[in-house]
Amino acid sequence: GPVIVCGSTVEGEEPALLRGFQRLVQHEFNQALLVLAPRKPERFAEVARLIHDSGLPCVRRSESSGTITPGGVLLLDSIGELAGVYAIAGVAIVGGSFARAGGHNILEPAWFSRPIVIGPHYENFRDVVEQFRVSAALAITEDPISTAADLLRDPELAAELGRRARAVMEVNSGATDATLSHLRSLLPMRSTERVQEMAR
């Protein structure tokens, strides 16, 4: 079934995500999978308890035998795997933006051309989000699961949102090379050689 990846969630966000996902599974997408990836490792056990209390089936990545129940939750209680998991997302919900935590990086799901959903609190990434927003390359909402459901019902819209996200990222890529080129034009030759060595 469809996969909804909720990445970099913070305290206060998971209960609403779980309630929304329960409604989604009960009324329409009973084969859906929710991947929940808390931002801080010290919250893994806390979030596992929240999932257990919700009554949803849960598999922890650290204990996974490879079998995940449709209509359940995969708790990504591991480090360094979220970026790759975005590749299989039908919808990518980026946390830290529904609670007042300033948001998190949206470039990882954009790299995989995934439709991105965030909340209204993205102050820490305002410049990046604004570039995506003016290009209609993400959805900003206070009800992420309902928005995810709308995108799952409209695969063409979801795919277009993902394509736009990737396009915005590609247009703005190459910042490191541009910065180094500008530095080379300002520095004497010997310093330029050092910059080139540092870039290797």
Side-chain angles (χ1 to χ4, degrees):
V3 179
I4 300 173
V5 177
C6 299
S8 302
T9 60
V10 301
E11 185 175 3
E13 293 183 326
E14 294 92 1
L17 291 167
L18 291 168
R19 287 192 301 270
F21 184 70
Q22 278 181 313
R23 292 192 298 271
L24 191 73
V25 168
Q26 290 167 358
H27 295 118
E28 190 169 0
F29 294 98
N30 62 357
Q31 297 294 302
L33 172 69
L34 181 70
V35 179
L36 201 50
R39 176 72 173 172
K40 296 182 178 179
E42 58 266 30
R43 297 192 60 244
F44 289 161
E46 171 195 348
V47 175
R49 285 192 296 273
L50 289 172
I51 300 168
H52 179 268
D53 292 346
S54 76
L56 288 164
C58 177
V59 173
R60 294 182 67 153
R61 172 69 178 91
S62 60
E63 302 170 357
S64 174
S65 62
T67 302
I68 301 170
T69 304
V73 181
L74 172 63
L75 175 58
L76 197 65
D77 58 346
S78 58
I79 305 297
E81 292 189 297
L82 176 59
V85 172
Y86 277 131
I88 63 167
V91 178
I93 297 173
V94 181
S97 56
F98 303 98
R100 293 183 180 275
H104 289 300
N105 191 353
I106 62 173
L107 297 180
E108 289 173 342
W111 173 259
F112 292 107
S113 303
R114 302 294 90 194
I116 301 166
V117 177
I118 65 169
H121 307 292
Y122 52 85
E123 296 80 9
N124 295 345
F125 293 87
R126 183 170 301 280
D127 290 345
V128 174
V129 169
E130 284 301 309
Q131 291 182 55
F132 280 72
R133 189 187 63 77
V134 299
S135 298
L138 83 172
I140 302 174
T141 179
E142 293 187 359
D143 191 349
I145 297 295
S146 291
T147 301
D150 291 341
L151 290 166
L152 293 176
R153 293 184 197 105
D154 191 342
E156 289 185 9
L157 175 61
E160 179 60 23
L161 210 60
R163 282 192 293 270
R164 291 177 189 167
R166 176 63 189 240
V168 172
M169 185 173 176
E170 288 179 349
V171 164
N172 290 280
S173 65
T176 301
D177 289 341
T179 301
L180 285 172
S181 177
H182 185 65
L183 286 172
R184 287 187 194 106
S185 70
L186 298 174
L187 297 172
M189 182 61 70
R190 186 167 294 178
S191 297
T192 302
E193 291 169 357
R194 286 193 63 193
V195 169
Q196 291 171 336
E197 289 174 5
M198 290 167 60
R200 292 192 185 108

